[in-house]
Amino acid sequence: QVQLVQSGAEMKKPGASVKVSCKASGYTFTGYYMHWVRQAPGQGLEWMGWISPKSGGTNYAQKFQGRVTMTRDTSISTAYMDLSRLSSDDTAVYYCARAADGDKNWFDHWGQGTLVTVSS
Amino acid sequence: DIQMTQSPSTLSASVGDRVTITCRASQSISTWLAWYQQKPGKAPKLLIYKASSLESGVPSRFSGSGSGTEFTLTISSLQPDDFATYYCQQYNSYPLTFGGGTKVEI
């Protein structure tokens, strides 16, 4: 069965960077785009961007351009999301989410989420 | 960016009720809309895509309709497991955007 397992909770200081991982299993990793979505405490969902595990190509939301980097390691079926210059506004649960049908822009499987807390 | 507005933000209902949630887009998105269910502390779960297509494994009491700018998610007979928050999401254009959510509570 499809599983997306994310790395554990992180606590960071303002100005630092965080890297969240998402290990995929149960399907062909390179066959499906991976998206990242975040959710601030008590708030709604916010799309950050996607990466094509096959090509490494990316598409980031303009809001995060220059601060986010999505990468992958196909040898271990893992996607990564790196967010820099953190502020308290970045405190959120970060989810990886698999694109349905390979490259569609809705999400059929989600990771369990990684809480990133930014505090001095 | 396309703004997605859900109503109501909170809905009180009882087991067995028919429940309807509305999602409005700030511009036409054809039928490029998905619905998700989220329970506290859990990741969202896909229910509906392309406005009305039921995801595999999702109970048939869930249905979606609409096109253009107005969409609805209907639960025909609310079950105890359905108390959750529901989000719509447009994928007509980037950035992909979500509605603010509708919490269905007892």
Side-chain angles (χ1 to χ4, degrees):
Chain A
Q1 73 284 19
V2 174
Q3 277 197 302
L4 301 175
V5 179
Q6 299 184 221
S7 49
E10 301 263 13
M11 185 160 289
K12 296 292 182 181
K13 293 196 182 304
S17 298
V18 68
K19 190 169 188 174
V20 179
S21 68
C22 172
K23 183 170 178 59
S25 62
Y27 71 97
T28 302
F29 178 64
T30 52
Y32 293 78
Y33 284 23
M34 192 71 78
H35 293 250
W36 291 87
V37 176
R38 75 178 187 178
Q39 186 171 37
Q43 302 301 308
L45 300 162
E46 183 175 32
W47 177 77
M48 300 180 70
W50 57 249
I51 182 169
S52 163
K54 184 174 184 179
S55 68
T58 55
N59 183 0
Y60 303 142
Q62 188 168 11
K63 174 177 180 175
F64 300 102
Q65 289 273 4
R67 273 209 310 140
V68 70
T69 305
M70 296 178 188
T71 57
R72 91 291 190 216
D73 184 338
T74 57
S75 69
I76 55 172
S77 299
T78 300
Y80 302 91
M81 188 284 299
D82 196 313
L83 188 63
S84 64
R85 304 195 302 276
L86 292 169
S87 73
S88 57
D89 290 343
D90 296 314
T91 293
V93 175
Y94 289 76
Y95 294 102
C96 57
R98 193 184 81 160
D101 289 349
D103 61 354
K104 300 299 187 290
N105 286 328
W106 69 93
F107 320 121
D108 62 358
H109 289 88
W110 296 64
Q112 84 276 17
T114 296
L115 175 62
V116 175
T117 303
V118 183
S119 175
S120 55
Chain B
D1 298 4
I2 297 176
Q3 308 303 316
M4 305 300 293
T5 304
Q6 286 184 234
S7 60
S9 54
T10 305
L11 187 160
S12 296
S14 301
V15 172
D17 284 353
R18 181 181 181 87
V19 166
T20 298
I21 298 168
T22 297
C23 177
R24 290 187 173 86
S26 60
Q27 64 189 73
S28 177
I29 58 169
S30 183
T31 56
W32 304 124
L33 185 99
W35 289 98
Y36 302 87
Q37 175 194 66
Q38 186 179 34
K39 296 181 179 179
K42 300 294 186 182
K45 172 189 173 184
L46 177 66
L47 299 175
I48 301 281
Y49 60 94
K50 207 175 179 188
S52 60
S53 295
L54 192 68
E55 173 69 353
S56 175
V58 174
S60 58
R61 63 181 180 273
F62 291 93
S63 64
S65 65
S67 66
T69 62
E70 189 152 335
F71 302 86
T72 59
L73 174 70
T74 299
I75 309 171
S76 60
S77 178
L78 199 65
Q79 298 302 299
D81 191 49
D82 301 338
F83 291 96
T85 300
Y86 294 84
Y87 293 94
C88 60
Q89 177 231 331
Q90 68 80 20
Y91 51 93
N92 178 78
S93 62
Y94 293 115
L96 310 181
T97 49
F98 294 84
T102 295
K103 183 177 181 180
V104 177
E105 58 183 24
I106 300 172

